[in-house]
Amino acid sequence: MKYNDIIQNMTLEEKASLMSGKDFWQTVDIERLGINSIFLADGPHGIRKQAEAADHLGLNPSIEATCFPTAATVANSWNEELGQKMGEYLGKEAVVQKVNVLLGPGVNMKRSPLAGRNFEYFSEDPYLAGKLAAGMIRGIQSHGISACVKHFAVNNQEERRMSIDTIVDERTLREIYLTAFEIAIKEGKSKTVMSAYNMLNGAYTNENLHLMRDILRDEWNFDGVVVTDWGGSNDRVAGLLAGNELEMPTTAGETNKEIVESIRNGKLKEGVLDECVDRLLDLIFSTEEVFREPAKEFDVEEHHQMAQVVAEESIVLLKNEENILPLKKGKKVAVIGDFAKEARYQGAGSSIVNPTVLVNTLESLEGSGSNCIGFEQGFDRYGKKNNKLVDRACALAKKADIVLLYIGLDEVTEAEGLDRKNMTIPENQIELVNALHEVNPNIVAVLSCGAAVELPFVNKLKGLLHAYLSGQAGALAILRILTGDVNPSGKLAETYPIQYEDTPAYHQFPGKEISVEYREGPFIGYRYYDTAKVDVLYPFGFGLSYTTFRYSELCVSKDGVTFTITNTGEVAGSEAAQLYVGCASEAIFRPKKELKGFTKVYLHPGDSATVTIPFDDKTFRYFNVVTNKWEIEEAEYIIMIGASSADIRLEESIFVEGTGAPNPYDKEKLPAYYSGKANDVSVEEFEALLGYKVPVATWDRTKPLGYNDTIAQCQYARGSFARIAYWMVEFSHWFLWKIGKKSTANLIMMSVYHMPFRGMARMTGGLMNMPMLDGVLMIVNGQFFKGLRHVLRERKKMVKSTNGKGIINTTTSGKGEVS
């Protein structure tokens, strides 16, 4: 061990104390041994370090920091170098704010468009997500601090995320849901990994030996620190055995005692604890070196400009009928839409950044050279219908040559801790589009949201620019693209289906009670649409430009591909070229094509560039569940170069020698997977893929409620007090939503409704411990007075044991949104 001398001088209690937080954001310090606390902070797209009382709900304001575009936006850049550059700026700001570990990026897959946290994740494709994350991690860690890739793993829904059991077959797990983490860890060298809340095939991820030991430690050789998601520790000793170094936030020493007792009674070997302490010490000592010298303040304007550059390269032009864009000088432009007045520029939850600057669209218009004749709100952003707003918007539109319409999803629709109820744009915005089209057909819509939405009105638009959530400088970046100062080069990192019913996980999202079944297997996103031949609105990798590009001269070798791209238009621009690979053999089921490489080139009009995309260890591999390792099937492979997954420009085949592994599948038992039409797989076929019976997915309403049951389950609790409490929560949510307090209503769902009972102890910083929780469960299960006496007695014991000082940190009383 690297720090054996220090560890040998530590008491068992001191070693155990390091395994849990000191408070909400800091680790424990041991002054006599020179071990300092380190600070962990949210920061996927900007630092969220709170100056006042800490919470994980985004309630209390944080120190000002640059709000960069979210991961869902950055992914559209298809530029690994840009991601790394953005990471460098994030790392610099983290150093200034004395943050040792920046909690990001997030690389979970976009399994369903409705997943509430999609705005924080890169893509539906693991290769693209992994490469961009690796670049960002390298950038963050170039300043000596640590990034923290999250949430490991298969954390793809927000509803019941702290207790849901994800049922997924091993091949799909490896190829789809772990590949991005693998790239981020192997290529990005992330020093820290955050475990997810959910269970994976029957075991909490933080305690899952297969995930944490077999794959993360042994196969990937990860030697860094694993930290729980906040409140994500179920069994602390089981987590330690799986290799989890750090539980956050503090539990006021309660779980430290569990570790000590487990070592003393022989359940846990002290050597396991020592290994975890050694890795945590390495993180502490390596990340605090940068703070030995006083940090220089970062240049606010320079960082703001970088945020603008990232936004400009990530915004996607989806429609440009009659070349309505860029806007022609002298044209009268009417600006309509609530999002023009108050932009949607980031998501909601633990990643909320307090921006250093916030560009306003209406103010920026004055300097853009556009002939803006006025602004009208047009609609209420939270969906309330208002005919007067529509009438005023139409009156303005009649006077204009072009209508710039800013639409999208609001802050309470896309929020951590909650999944979206549907894939639609609010009805009042659709009605506005229809009304405007009646008076002026020249509509250019600017769409702001962090995930795919249905666009039934797209035929009534002549232009559509997707800004995603483009950060504090997004408003100006949008205008620069609209006016032609910047040529758009973003391409979609996710597919836009025509309707939600077309999506592969439609029948299996979200898991409502005990589990969620990933019956679609590896067929998510474009892998499903292309293989099953399902029409989409906009395909994966799609994006328009103000110029055109020609692909030619493809050459395929055993090492990779080379080809030529020529700018055949009249303006300079960048093109993101994509390498897809498909297997001609039908022996093992696969998607029709899979992304295996990409590159982005900038060209002046008439210029050409020779492009090389090398093959790597992931180009031809598949995971074989019989040999339990990556294999290559001997076959002809189709090498495709495309401008999107649906726009293949060049194609050639190559024969690849295989590894000779046995075919793991019986084709007769897996017809949906071999056809790719895997959006409605039967339970029998899914079990054939899994190799075992799927667990019961519904609650056993006859059993007493326990630690990992949720407040929502109090609806069938034995105790009348608990049932009354449940209906009070239900009514409060309904009432607050009804009167327009939607953010507060969401907070109830996030921090109360779906919270497991153990969260009362794990997330209150010592305000309640597990023995007190036992009393609460007695009350819930029908023993009101016995339970109440137990709670009071255990509370008295806890206060007495801490000499009346009681709580280490009582700054938060719940957790709905997490890092």
Side-chain angles (χ1 to χ4, degrees):
M1 292 188 297
K2 193 172 182 180
Y3 299 98
N4 189 57
D5 290 346
I6 295 175
I7 293 171
Q8 291 300 315
N9 285 323
M10 297 174 71
T11 66
L12 179 57
E13 288 76 11
E14 284 175 329
K15 287 188 281 189
S17 73
L18 289 174
M19 299 293 96
S20 184
K22 174 183 178 180
D23 52 30
F24 209 80
W25 296 112
Q26 297 183 90
T27 62
V28 168
D29 59 303
I30 303 176
E31 189 175 345
R32 74 176 187 87
L33 295 172
I35 300 171
N36 299 321
S37 295
I38 61 172
F39 199 99
L40 300 88
D42 290 313
H45 61 273
I47 320 301
R48 190 178 82 94
K49 182 177 181 181
Q50 290 170 304
E52 303 297 335
D55 72 83
H56 230 36
L57 304 169
L59 299 178
N60 295 319
S62 56
I63 299 169
E64 286 187 355
T66 308
C67 181
F68 291 91
T70 68
T73 315
V74 178
N76 298 328
S77 73
W78 291 71
N79 190 335
E80 192 174 346
E81 292 180 2
L82 182 71
Q84 181 164 333
K85 192 71 176 176
M86 175 176 151
E88 290 172 8
Y89 279 74
L90 286 169
K92 187 172 184 178
E93 292 193 29
V95 171
V96 170
Q97 293 196 24
K98 292 182 167 47
V99 170
N100 302 71
V101 180
L102 201 54
L103 301 173
V107 297
N108 295 101
M109 290 297 96
K110 296 187 176 186
R111 177 181 178 239
S112 169
L114 302 191
R117 213 165 177 178
N118 276 346
F119 60 84
E120 271 191 66
Y121 300 140
F122 288 101
S123 180
E124 67 188 31
D125 182 84
Y127 193 88
L128 178 60
K131 288 290 185 178
L132 288 166
M136 191 171 291
I137 290 165
R138 287 193 296 270
I140 291 169
Q141 296 188 166
S142 68
H143 289 278
I145 63 163
S146 172
C148 179
V149 64
K150 60 185 187 180
H151 307 85
F152 192 60
V154 289
N155 183 185
N156 305 110
Q157 71 175 62
E158 293 299 285
E159 185 169 330
R160 291 184 52 77
R161 62 182 176 171
M162 293 185 79
S163 55
I164 199 75
D165 188 4
T166 300
I167 310 301
V168 58
D169 70 282
E170 185 71 9
R171 181 182 170 195
T172 298
L173 174 68
R174 298 298 199 106
E175 293 185 8
I176 303 298
Y177 297 100
L178 295 188
T179 292
F181 285 99
E182 180 186 359
I183 295 170
I185 288 165
K186 288 184 175 180
E187 298 181 19
K189 308 292 184 185
S190 184
K191 297 178 182 179
T192 312
V193 171
M194 182 187 290
S195 58
Y197 282 133
N198 53 282
M199 302 174 80
L200 169 60
N201 294 328
Y204 280 96
T205 61
N206 192 59
E207 304 163 12
N208 194 305
L209 293 172
H210 178 54
L211 184 67
M212 292 295 179
R213 287 285 185 185
D214 298 344
I215 299 174
L216 180 64
R217 299 292 187 186
D218 297 340
E219 188 177 320
W220 297 350
N221 297 315
F222 177 69
D223 60 358
V225 166
V226 174
V227 58
T228 67
D229 206 336
W230 266 235
S233 176
N234 171 52
D235 183 322
R236 185 65 192 100
V237 175
L240 202 68
L241 284 166
N244 166 251
E245 285 76 18
L246 183 58
E247 173 192 28
M248 291 298 287
T250 183
T251 58
E254 182 177 18
T255 54
N256 304 342
K257 293 176 184 177
E258 293 176 9
I259 294 170
V260 171
E261 289 170 6
S262 294
I263 290 174
R264 286 178 174 161
N265 65 26
K267 183 179 178 181
L268 178 69
K269 292 181 180 179
E270 192 167 353
V272 173
L273 174 60
D274 290 348
E275 288 178 2
C276 289
V277 170
D278 190 63
R279 287 193 288 259
L280 183 61
L281 288 177
D282 193 47
L283 179 68
I284 292 170
F285 293 143
S286 66
T287 59
E288 69 178 4
E289 288 180 9
V290 70
F291 302 113
R292 297 185 192 279
E293 298 292 330
K296 296 180 181 178
E297 293 297 317
F298 67 91
D299 187 323
V300 171
E301 181 56 31
E302 180 189 343
H303 284 229
H304 178 73
Q305 288 300 317
M306 184 60 198
Q308 181 177 316
V309 168
V310 176
E312 288 173 354
E313 198 166 331
S314 304
I315 292 169
V316 187
L317 179 61
L318 293 175
K319 186 173 183 180
N320 195 19
E321 193 176 293
E322 299 175 9
N323 290 321
I324 195 168
L325 295 176
L327 297 172
K328 311 299 186 291
K329 289 191 181 298
K331 292 285 186 180
K332 293 182 291 183
V333 176
V335 178
I336 295 170
D338 197 29
F339 295 108
K341 180 178 66 177
E342 189 175 341
R344 263 302 310 286
Y345 63 96
Q346 64 175 328
S350 65
S351 65
I352 289 179
V353 179
N354 184 12
T356 56
V357 182
L358 185 57
V359 176
N360 180 278
T361 299
L362 300 178
E363 293 174 0
S364 300
L365 274 165
E366 296 177 7
S368 68
S370 300
N371 182 16
C372 178
I373 62 170
F375 163 78
E376 286 294 344
Q377 182 178 338
F379 61 87
D380 173 82
R381 73 195 295 119
Y382 297 112
K384 186 177 180 180
K385 295 186 179 182
N386 187 321
N387 291 332
K388 290 183 179 179
L389 293 180
V390 175
D391 291 342
R392 287 200 291 266
C394 288
L396 179 63
K398 287 179 181 178
K399 304 173 185 176
D401 297 313
I402 294 174
V403 174
L404 272 186
L405 177 62
Y406 285 73
I407 58 176
L409 297 179
D410 60 64
E411 296 81 356
V412 297
T413 300
E414 287 188 293
E416 180 188 348
L418 297 167
D419 296 312
R420 287 160 58 197
K421 295 178 180 178
N422 53 55
M423 205 177 139
T424 62
I425 291 282
E427 185 63 30
N428 65 338
Q429 295 184 41
I430 297 174
E431 290 177 358
L432 175 63
V433 173
N434 293 334
L436 290 173
H437 186 262
E438 291 293 321
V439 300
N440 190 334
N442 297 317
I443 303 172
V444 175
V446 177
L447 180 63
S448 294
C449 53
V453 292
E454 293 176 1
L455 297 169
F457 51 84
V458 72
N459 63 332
K460 295 184 178 179
L461 307 176
K462 285 191 177 177
L464 177 58
L465 192 69
H466 200 333
Y468 270 76
L469 302 178
S470 47
Q472 66 181 48
L476 184 55
I478 291 165
L479 287 174
R480 281 170 54 78
I481 290 173
L482 291 172
T483 59
D485 290 340
V486 172
N487 189 354
S489 63
K491 293 194 174 188
L492 292 175
E494 61 187 324
T495 308
Y496 266 58
I498 295 171
Q499 58 186 357
Y500 178 55
E501 289 78 5
D502 296 337
T503 60
Y506 170 69
H507 294 285
Q508 301 294 331
F509 180 92
K512 284 292 185 180
E513 295 193 3
I514 291 176
S515 63
V516 55
E517 296 168 12
Y518 284 37
R519 294 194 192 181
E520 70 280 1
F523 296 98
I524 75 165
Y526 71 91
R527 285 170 167 80
Y528 165 69
Y529 300 114
D530 287 0
T531 309
K533 298 179 180 178
V534 176
D535 290 336
V536 300
L537 183 61
Y538 295 113
F540 176 79
F542 175 79
L544 299 175
S545 170
Y546 293 150
T547 190
T548 53
F549 298 94
R550 183 178 70 241
Y551 291 63
S552 62
E553 300 171 10
L554 174 62
C555 179
V556 180
S557 72
K558 63 181 180 62
D559 298 317
V561 300
T562 60
F563 54 96
T564 300
I565 298 180
T566 303
N567 184 341
T568 54
E570 298 179 355
V571 294
S574 295
E575 172 73 346
Q578 302 150 41
L579 164 66
Y580 295 91
V581 175
C583 184
S585 168
E586 296 182 358
I588 297 169
F589 70 82
R590 299 170 183 258
K592 183 179 180 181
K593 65 173 76 77
E594 296 181 278
L595 182 74
K596 298 296 182 179
F598 58 92
T599 190
K600 196 167 189 178
V601 294
Y602 178 83
L603 293 169
H604 289 284
D607 284 356
S608 298
T610 300
V611 176
T612 299
I613 302 178
F615 295 151
D616 60 21
D617 63 325
K618 298 167 187 65
T619 304
F620 303 107
R621 74 179 190 176
Y622 76 98
F623 193 83
N624 188 300
V625 295
V626 171
T627 64
N628 196 38
K629 63 180 183 179
W630 295 101
E631 305 283 4
I632 295 175
E633 181 183 2
E634 187 166 294
E636 288 280 338
Y637 287 83
I638 313 302
I639 307 301
M640 296 164 271
I641 305 299
S644 78
S645 65
D647 184 10
I648 302 302
R649 304 290 184 87
L650 304 171
E651 188 174 303
E652 195 172 309
S653 64
I654 183 174
F655 179 80
V656 178
E657 293 183 0
T659 51
N663 188 327
Y665 302 117
D666 182 344
K667 188 174 183 178
E668 297 300 317
K669 294 181 179 179
L670 303 170
Y673 297 108
Y674 273 89
S675 69
K677 297 177 180 179
N679 66 324
D680 195 12
V681 176
S682 69
V683 66
E684 292 80 14
E685 186 171 349
F686 184 50
E687 288 176 342
L689 180 67
L690 285 172
Y692 57 85
K693 290 281 186 182
V694 298
V696 176
T698 54
W699 294 318
D700 184 346
R701 288 164 168 79
T702 65
K703 287 185 176 180
L705 297 181
Y707 294 144
N708 290 318
D709 293 313
T710 64
I711 309 301
Q713 291 171 254
C714 286
Q715 61 188 281
Y716 62 83
R718 294 177 183 179
S720 57
F721 180 84
R723 293 195 301 274
I724 291 169
Y726 164 78
W727 287 111
M728 287 177 65
V729 170
E730 280 275 354
F731 175 78
S732 297
H733 177 265
W734 172 85
F735 180 73
L736 289 167
W737 193 269
K738 193 75 174 175
I739 65 173
K741 303 287 186 180
K742 295 183 178 181
S743 294
T744 308
N746 281 352
L747 190 61
I748 288 175
M749 298 301 287
M750 291 182 281
S751 61
V752 179
Y753 193 82
H754 292 303
M755 175 73 74
F757 284 100
R758 63 178 160 82
M760 293 182 181
R762 296 294 189 241
M763 280 304 300
T764 54
L767 186 64
M768 177 180 287
N769 60 18
M770 294 302 282
M772 291 171 64
L773 181 58
D774 289 337
V776 172
L777 287 170
M778 289 177 196
I779 295 171
V780 168
N781 290 312
Q783 297 175 294
F784 181 84
F785 293 106
K786 182 180 179 181
L788 182 60
R789 286 194 299 270
H790 188 91
V791 170
L792 296 174
R793 183 169 60 249
E794 292 300 329
R795 170 69 182 173
K796 186 175 181 180
K797 284 182 186 178
M798 185 181 71
V799 173
K800 185 177 180 180
S801 70
T802 53
N803 298 317
K805 294 178 183 177
I807 311 306
I808 289 178
N809 173 27
T810 59
T811 55
T812 181
S813 58
K815 181 172 192 306
E817 297 158 278
V818 293
S819 50

